[in-house]
Structure formats: structure tokens, C-alpha cells
Amino acid sequence: MGMKDLVEDLKARRQRALAMGGPEAIAKQHADRKLTVRERVDRLFDPGSFNEIGLLATHANIAPAMRGKETPADGAVTGFGKINGRHASVIAYDFTVMAGSMGRTAEVKCNRAREIALTKRMPMIWLIDSAGARIQEAIGSTFAQSGFLFREESIMSGVVPMVAAMMGPGAAGTAYIPALSDFVLMVKGTSHMALGGPPLVKAIVGEDITAEELGGSKVHTEVSGVADLEVADDAACIDAIKEYLSFFPSSNLEQPPVVPCEDPADRMDEALLSIVPDSARRAYDMKTVIAHIVDGGRVFEIKPGWAKNLITALARMGGRPVGIVANQPMVLGGALDVDSADKAARFIMLCDAFHIPLLFLQDVPGFLVGSKVERQGIIRHGAKMLYAVSEATVPKITVVVRKAYGAGYFVMCGKAYEPDLIVAWPTAEISVMGPEGGTNIIFRKEIAAADNPDEERARRVEAFRTLINPYIAAGGAFIDDVIDPRETRPVIVRALDMARTKQVQRPWKKHGVMPV
Amino acid sequence: MAEDVKAHITGVVFQITSKAGDVLAAGDPVIVLESMKMEIPVEAPRAGTVREITVAEGQTVQEGDTVAVLD
């Protein structure tokens, strides 16, 4: 063949690979309310920026059952491109090719994509729509030479951002890819993840359950907390990945990207005067406070449907990304439990790994008490949050909006946890415990001995209440200032600007022993 | 179909804010509990009509206890 024919032959080979699993499988994919793998990748990357690697790959032909089969690109699209002008590497499973099952060749491609992300320090993105390992190729003790990706993913953790989007099934080993990623999205209705899918569950433990009930988006974004965000469809999923990454540097060697900010840094907000109710026992929506503080009111919440008594969100202040950890009085009165401590600890570690400053908004009556939470190990989970906030060396700003009680004050970056600025609203109540609880313990005997115990208790509670106002803490310079709520945004923006040059040296250690 | 409205935190019934026959939207408070020194509403899990309130003010309820039934 001459060069012209050779080039024609190459073109034909490429076209066969780009055709994926064929028109019938593509129609089925669309009928299932899913984009094809190539439509997803097109939407993810800036136009014309995607460079595919391994387009001409095909299955390894190692199993009799695979003889004569065609597997375009071996069921996975891999490569690199630019997202809003910055490089990222992708592994996207093609469900139209043998249900996106991972064969030997596809693994080689995935190794390549991970190597690009790690050695060139760019985000790694997985678009998962896969039945799992390709059993035809994997069965038998050759399995001994597998599992490398999870070790590599662990090593990559905290070096480059890792995002896993569940856009179809993701069973067995495939479910550990999201588990080890920083951010996990699930498309509502079409995605599932479980260590064992329904047939395996039926065979092993005899439970009859649908894929949706077992590991659908509702389960993982509202009950288990394995996933971070439920999205309506494939398009919304890809858009959310891009928005999430916009807050992050390409790797831990860089600083988070700063964008031009149209919202004035010195904006005073009158609305902040009327959100917190006059009664300290009444709830209000902390999300309203956040919306009035951050740039343009724009907030990207992480795990909005799980452990709702604590809010974790990405936003910008003065154009700089900031990670917000805030108590939510609307749910459980803002009290902390095992899941909210877990959620906060993970989010703090995520932000710290990628140099995103943390903003803590406190209104916490404390940790839940009682036999139920003790059996769940609330001490261990609470310690996890203490550990994460202590370890974090990014700039930390704390605003005590209202309640700051007991260990709740500590884990929400109280003074001892190295906030670069800690201020309180005039509504702040700071104490080891609330006036009622404290009075009952300290003055138990006096109250019992009084002629009118109820009156005595009320008098003691009022006396106690005068001790918890923030002016005593500010008077001792234990907190840096009491601020007018309207000043909250300017105070935080100035503190973040001041803390940009923060340097913290820790004693050398291999690593700590995290209370997980 | 009737659905139980359950307390999601252990506490004392502070206030009964709805009564049998009231039509509620999802998220409307059915009763208010006092716990962790906070007034914490127990909300309707879905839209519906209150069939009955099964607790009284001042009563202690455990997490998971039924406080009302919604039609």
C-alpha cells in the first residue's frame, strides 16, 4: 500500500472505533436517558482541546469467549484536554461496548491516563458507566495481578484533584474508584453503585433488592454519604464537574485560581441584621447568612442532602475560593452528630490539601448526647473533626454567629485551633455549656435547698446568662473582636487577604494516626 | 395512605402547632420539640392532612417515635 492508502486505512480504523458499540447500542444508551461516552467527553472539554489516547485499542484476545468480538477503544475513552483553559485527564467508560466492562487493554489505557494526571499534575476525572471487570478476561488466578489502580489512586489523593461521576452502574471494584476520589457525583435515576450488585446480593445473602434501592443516588447522597452530589441528568453532571474544578488548583503545587470579583469586597449587608431571631431558642437558615456574605451569593454545596445539620460549601470571597463549614440551626438545632462530624472532617481535609482557606460559621449547641450516639462512636467521630481542624494549615477564619458551646466551639475552629481571625456577632453565646444545663449542675444543691426551687433556678440561669456574652471573651482578648453583622463580609475578605502569606511549621512525622 | 411522622431527635414536646384535619405542605411543622436547648420543629415529610397528633405537650419522645399520623 502506498502512503495514501495507508492513511485511508488509518481513517477507516479510527471511524470504526469512534462508532462505539454501534447504532443499536447507542440508541439504547439514549433511550436510557444517557449520553454516549463521546458526547460526555465533548461536553467536558473546551471545544477542540481533547486529545484521545488509545483510540485504536482493542481487547487483548486472551479469552476463548472473546474470540471474534470487536471492542472499539476496548470500552473506555481515555485522554487529556482542557477544561476552562486548564488541563485534565479523563477515563470514561463506554457502556455501548460490552456494558463498559473493564478488559485487560482498557486497564492499560487507564494506567496511561492516571500516569498523565499524576506526573503532569492535573485533575483526574472518571466518568463511570460500567458493569465492572470483564469477567471473560478476568476469571481465574490471573486476578493476582490486578488492583493496582486503587493503590495508585490512594497515592494520588491530595496531589491532584480527583472527581468520579457515576453516570450509570458502577459495581464491585468500580465502586472503589469514587470511594477514593475527592468528589463523587451521581446522576439521578440512571446511576448506581454497590460493592455487590442485586444478583450477587441475592446469591450471597438472599436479599431481594433493586439496583436503585441498593445503591441509587438517593441512598448515597442522603443515607450513606458515599456520594457528594445528586444531579438531574448527564448534562448537569458534566457542568457540575466543571464548576467544582473551577475552585481547585490543578495540583497541590499550585494555588487555587482567583477570578475577577464584581461584588465589592467592602459591601455591608443590611439583611444580616434580621436573619438571626431575637429568641436564642429559635432556628433560622444559615444558608441565608452564607448567601449574604459570599461573592454574588453563589455557593457550591458539597453533600447538601446528607448530615444537613452541618453545611459544607465552596464559594468565593473577593474572588478567592473559600471552603465554608457552617452549623445549620434548622436541622437538629445545629447540634453535631457522627455524620456531620464525618462530613466536616473530610471537607476540611479536602480544602487543606489544595490550599483553599476555611471559613467557619458557628451556631452550635454542642454534640448530641445519649446512648444512641455513644454507640455510634460519637467520641471517635468528634475526634476526627478535632483532628482535621487541628491539622489544617490553610488560612482559617471563625465567626461566632450565635451559639458556641462545649466541644462544638472547639471543632468549629475555636481560638485554640489557630484561626487567623476569630470574631463574634453581638448575639454570640460562648460557654462550656448553656445556662440551663450549667445552672442545674453547678447549683444543684442550692436550687434543691431553696424555698422556691423554680424561682431560684430562673434567677441562677439569668445570672449565668450574663457570663456568656461575647464582651467578656473580647475583653480578655480571647477573641479578636465583636463585629456588626453587616461588617461580616469586609472583615472576612480583609482577613483572608492578610492570611495569604500564612506559614505554619509542624514537627516532622511520617504521618499522624487519624481517629477514623 | 397514612404515614407516621417521626421525631428525628430525642426531646420534650414543646408545642403542638397543628391539629387533626389541618392540611400541611411538605416541610410544614407538625409539632415543635425542645432538645439541645433549641426549639426544633418536626416537619411533615410530605403534603397531607393531619389524622391525629399522638403526643402531648411536655411529653418526652425518643428519636424515631411517632408524633403524628398524616393522611
Side-chain angles (χ1 to χ4, degrees):
Chain A
M1 275 197 282
M3 181 60 90
K4 214 170 175 187
D5 296 327
L6 287 170
V7 170
E8 280 306 310
D9 174 53
L10 169 62
K11 194 174 156 194
R13 287 169 185 267
R14 282 181 170 173
Q15 265 159 2
R16 281 204 299 280
L18 290 170
M20 298 177 276
E24 217 168 281
I26 290 171
K28 173 82 169 64
Q29 178 84 353
H30 285 151
D32 287 344
R33 222 171 53 81
K34 299 197 288 188
L35 297 176
T36 66
V37 67
R38 294 190 178 279
E39 288 164 342
R40 289 167 177 170
V41 168
D42 276 350
R43 193 178 178 97
L44 179 64
F45 291 107
D46 299 347
S49 76
F50 181 59
N51 292 259
E52 187 159 352
I53 284 176
L55 172 66
L56 301 176
T58 185
H59 69 83
N61 206 18
I62 48 172
M66 293 298 292
R67 239 160 250 153
K69 277 196 196 263
E70 281 208 22
T71 59
D74 205 30
V77 175
T78 52
F80 59 92
K82 287 187 174 180
I83 297 176
N84 294 322
R86 296 186 298 160
H87 274 120
S89 181
V90 74
I91 295 172
Y93 296 78
D94 184 355
F95 198 79
T96 68
V97 177
M98 294 191 74
S101 59
M102 286 304 290
R104 197 71 70 83
T105 305
E107 280 297 348
V108 174
K109 293 175 56 172
C110 293
N111 292 347
R112 193 81 174 135
R114 289 197 305 273
E115 174 192 302
I116 287 171
L118 180 60
T119 60
K120 266 63 79 176
R121 297 292 195 271
M122 64 179 79
M124 182 71 239
I125 300 162
W126 285 267
L127 307 180
I128 296 171
D129 189 358
S130 165
R134 189 176 295 158
I135 302 295
Q136 293 91 331
E137 295 181 24
I139 211 89
S141 67
T142 55
F143 182 70
Q145 185 69 9
S146 65
F148 291 81
L149 80 158
F150 305 123
R151 180 189 56 83
E152 284 178 24
E153 211 185 327
S154 304
I155 300 303
M156 286 165 80
S157 176
V159 180
V160 294
M162 296 194 286
V163 175
M166 308 305 298
M167 307 183 78
T174 321
Y176 278 122
I177 294 174
L180 290 165
S181 297
D182 307 335
F183 181 56
V184 181
L185 308 91
M186 288 189 81
V187 180
K188 191 176 180 176
T190 57
S191 73
H192 312 106
M193 68 174 141
L195 275 193
L200 187 76
V201 167
K202 175 72 180 159
I204 306 283
V205 295
E207 186 184 8
D208 263 310
I209 192 160
T210 65
E212 186 68 27
E213 290 166 335
L214 185 65
S217 58
K218 197 174 164 66
V219 170
H220 288 308
T221 58
E222 293 180 18
V223 185
S224 76
V226 172
D228 296 290
L229 192 67
E230 181 185 65
V231 284
D233 54 30
D234 280 13
C237 182
I238 300 291
D239 294 350
I241 294 172
K242 293 161 89 164
E243 190 177 357
Y244 170 86
L245 287 174
S246 76
F247 292 97
F248 285 81
S250 293
S251 78
N252 66 341
L253 298 177
E254 297 176 15
Q255 289 295 318
V258 180
V259 302
C261 175
E262 282 159 24
D263 193 351
D266 59 357
R267 176 171 57 78
M268 303 275 278
D269 200 318
E270 292 293 322
L272 292 170
L273 289 180
S274 49
I275 297 169
V276 177
D278 291 340
S279 165
R281 295 161 50 85
R282 288 277 158 75
Y284 61 93
D285 191 352
M286 184 64 91
K287 288 183 191 174
T288 318
V289 175
I290 296 171
H292 283 280
I293 295 174
V294 301
D295 290 359
R298 276 193 295 278
V299 173
F300 188 89
E301 232 190 301
I302 307 287
K303 291 187 163 65
W306 186 68
K308 293 195 273 191
N309 43 338
L310 182 121
I311 300 162
T312 50
L314 295 162
R316 290 184 179 83
M317 295 202 70
R320 293 175 203 288
V322 60
I324 299 170
V325 180
N327 307 114
Q328 173 57 289
M330 295 278 279
V331 181
L332 299 181
L336 293 165
D337 58 359
V338 294
D339 285 347
S340 52
D342 198 69
K343 175 178 172 177
R346 183 180 163 91
F347 182 74
I348 291 166
M349 287 192 289
L350 170 70
C351 291
D352 191 51
F354 294 105
H355 316 297
I356 297 176
L358 289 161
L359 169 62
F360 295 85
L361 300 175
Q362 293 201 4
D363 190 347
V364 55
F367 276 89
L368 282 183
V369 293
S371 62
K372 186 185 168 196
V373 291
E374 295 298 350
R375 283 162 193 231
Q376 289 174 329
I378 193 157
I379 300 172
R380 180 164 59 83
H381 288 281
K384 202 187 297 187
M385 198 172 166
L386 283 174
Y387 193 94
V389 74
S390 303
E391 285 268 284
T393 55
V394 286
K396 295 185 274 197
I397 313 294
T398 303
V399 180
V400 182
V401 173
R402 195 169 66 177
K403 292 179 164 60
Y405 284 116
Y409 167 70
F410 297 163
V411 296
M412 289 296 292
C413 203
K415 181 65 180 289
Y417 296 81
E418 300 180 312
D420 299 286
L421 189 81
I422 177 168
V423 296
W425 284 15
T427 39
E429 307 167 12
I430 306 170
S431 176
V432 65
M433 62 171 65
E436 292 84 358
T439 303
N440 282 337
I441 293 171
I442 302 166
F443 303 111
R444 189 167 48 88
K445 284 181 190 156
E446 287 85 346
I447 290 168
D451 294 337
N452 186 336
D454 285 345
E455 223 166 68
E456 180 64 13
R457 183 183 292 111
R459 200 180 62 76
R460 298 271 184 186
V461 166
E462 275 319 300
F464 198 122
R465 200 173 288 285
T466 62
L467 301 178
I468 62 174
N469 82 66
Y471 293 102
I472 295 171
F478 304 141
I479 60 171
D480 295 311
D481 204 1
V482 178
I483 62 167
D484 179 334
R486 289 172 293 189
E487 299 169 329
T488 307
R489 173 177 167 82
V491 164
I492 295 169
V493 173
R494 283 197 298 266
L496 288 171
D497 192 39
M498 169 275 287
R500 276 165 59 199
T501 46
K502 182 175 183 178
Q503 290 290 326
V504 179
Q505 303 297 331
R506 301 285 197 217
W508 184 89
K509 59 181 163 184
K510 190 176 173 193
H511 55 68
V513 183
M514 182 159 188
V516 290
Chain B
M1 213 177 75
E3 184 173 349
D4 289 348
V5 180
K6 292 179 174 166
H8 39 66
I9 189 168
T10 298
V12 175
V13 179
F14 176 71
Q15 204 179 355
I16 310 268
T17 51
S18 65
K19 58 182 187 306
D22 283 2
V23 179
L24 301 179
D28 280 354
V30 182
I31 67 159
V32 179
L33 289 175
E34 184 189 338
S35 185
M36 301 296 293
K37 299 298 162 204
M38 289 286 292
E39 292 164 26
I40 301 172
V42 178
E43 295 162 349
R46 58 165 172 81
T49 307
V50 178
R51 179 187 291 184
E52 68 168 319
I53 304 289
T54 55
V55 292
E57 282 179 11
Q59 182 182 335
T60 300
V61 296
Q62 301 297 318
E63 180 184 340
D65 282 358
T66 297
V67 300
V69 182
L70 207 61
D71 272 323

